[in-house]
Amino acid sequence: MALKLDACIAQHQGDRKEQQDRVALVAHGRIPGVALAVVADGMGGHTGGALAAEQVIHTVSTNFQHWGSGEEPRHLLESSLQEAHTMIKASRFINEKDPHSTAVVLMLLPGNRSVWAHCGDSRLYCFRGVHLRTRSIDHSYVEHLLRIGKITPEEAETHPNRNILLTSLGGREEPKVEFGSMDELQAGDSFLLCSDGLWAYFTDEELGALLTTGTAREVAAKLIELARMRGAGEGDNISIALLKFLEVPKEALPKVSLKRP
């Protein structure tokens, strides 16, 4: 099945004084069918978080353009996030800030394959139609309590320590990076990468239903509008990378004529 990609990135500053998130969606300059999406949520006070998120985007995007098809994509993601972590730590001594960043990175590969990495609580969701296929698990204290059965999902939504992270890029400890992959993507599959300024206001079921209601651009606008309304004047920065896979109609495929020799 031939697929086409409908994708967009979107941001809103929310009710914060500064937009410290960064987001990117880029195609590989030399290898057809290879693309990269990144969302980085910067933390660390005035300008510090923005610098950290910018470092993530720059490092991952630059290394991606030097990546070759014979190299393991997971190694690219792992080494890029480790390099960004080192650079963010180094910047602390230059600008006297305390910069950190969470990040989620998705690579799309030929053959309808995907691989991703994440650190912190920026999330990746993958839906098939309205149904959740998988999502990244936050590196947060509340997610830890949830996984060991200390709290319920309902309690997690309002837990006073929900913003405490167990790992991030630029922290004192080495970052914890986790990976995922998926083969055989189909028409109707969608990837949503986003910062916690978005996902905090939606259930998985809501997101799945909303992703089917329009184009990537229309859905992103709707998600931001709802998050802003639910934030009620206290909303965080919002960043989204949305990628929807659609079937190419047969009549749109190039016609090939065969001639006898």
Side-chain angles (χ1 to χ4, degrees), residues 4 10 39 50 53 55 72-73 79 104-105 116-117 133 147 151 166 177 179-180 194 218 238 252:
K4 67 177 181 179
V39 168
Q55 184 65 62
E72 174 58 47
S79 61
V104 58
V105 187
W116 60 84
R133 298 187 70 190
R147 293 178 76 173
I151 60 173
L166 301 181
V177 178
F179 303 88
C194 59
E218 291 167 345
I238 299 171

Side-chain angles (χ1 to χ4, degrees), residues 115-193:
V115 61
W116 60 84
H118 86 282
C119 176
D121 64 353
S122 290
R123 283 187 183 178
L124 176 143
Y125 296 83
C126 179
F127 290 91
R128 174 156 290 169
V130 300
H131 302 291
L132 180 68
R133 298 187 70 190
T134 188
R135 80 160 172 87
S136 57
I137 302 301
D138 306 333
H139 298 131
S140 67
Y141 178 62
V142 166
E143 189 68 47
H144 170 70
L145 294 178
L146 189 61
R147 293 178 76 173
I148 63 176
K150 292 289 186 181
I151 60 173
T152 66
E154 292 73 24
E155 290 171 330
E157 292 179 4
T158 57
H159 197 283
N161 295 324
R162 62 184 304 195
N163 293 325
I164 295 179
L165 295 179
L166 301 181
T167 189
S168 65
L169 302 175
R172 297 186 183 279
E173 306 294 333
E174 287 298 297
K176 180 179 181 180
V177 178
E178 293 191 19
F179 303 88
S181 63
M182 194 161 292
D183 296 332
E184 300 180 0
L185 297 175
Q186 300 179 12
D189 288 350
S190 300
F191 285 101
L192 173 66
L193 287 67

Side-chain angles (χ1 to χ4, degrees), residues 8-10 23 37-39 104-106 116 122-128 132 134-136 189-195 198-200 202-204 206-208 210-211 216 219-221 223-224 238-245:
C8 78
I9 57 176
V23 59
V38 191
V39 168
V104 58
V105 187
L106 169 71
W116 60 84
S122 290
R123 283 187 183 178
L124 176 143
Y125 296 83
C126 179
F127 290 91
R128 174 156 290 169
L132 180 68
T134 188
R135 80 160 172 87
S136 57
D189 288 350
S190 300
F191 285 101
L192 173 66
L193 287 67
C194 59
S195 57
L198 182 84
W199 64 253
F202 297 92
T203 65
D204 295 351
E206 278 186 297
L207 288 174
L210 285 164
L211 291 187
V219 171
L223 289 173
I224 289 176
I238 299 171
S239 288
I240 297 171
L242 178 56
L243 303 92
K244 294 165 61 77
F245 290 88

Side-chain angles (χ1 to χ4, degrees), residues 208-237:
L210 285 164
L211 291 187
T212 64
T213 60
T215 66
R217 184 179 294 274
E218 291 167 345
V219 171
K222 189 176 298 185
L223 289 173
I224 289 176
E225 180 183 5
L226 286 170
R228 295 290 299 129
M229 180 181 68
R230 296 174 182 184
E234 297 181 355
D236 199 353
N237 295 161

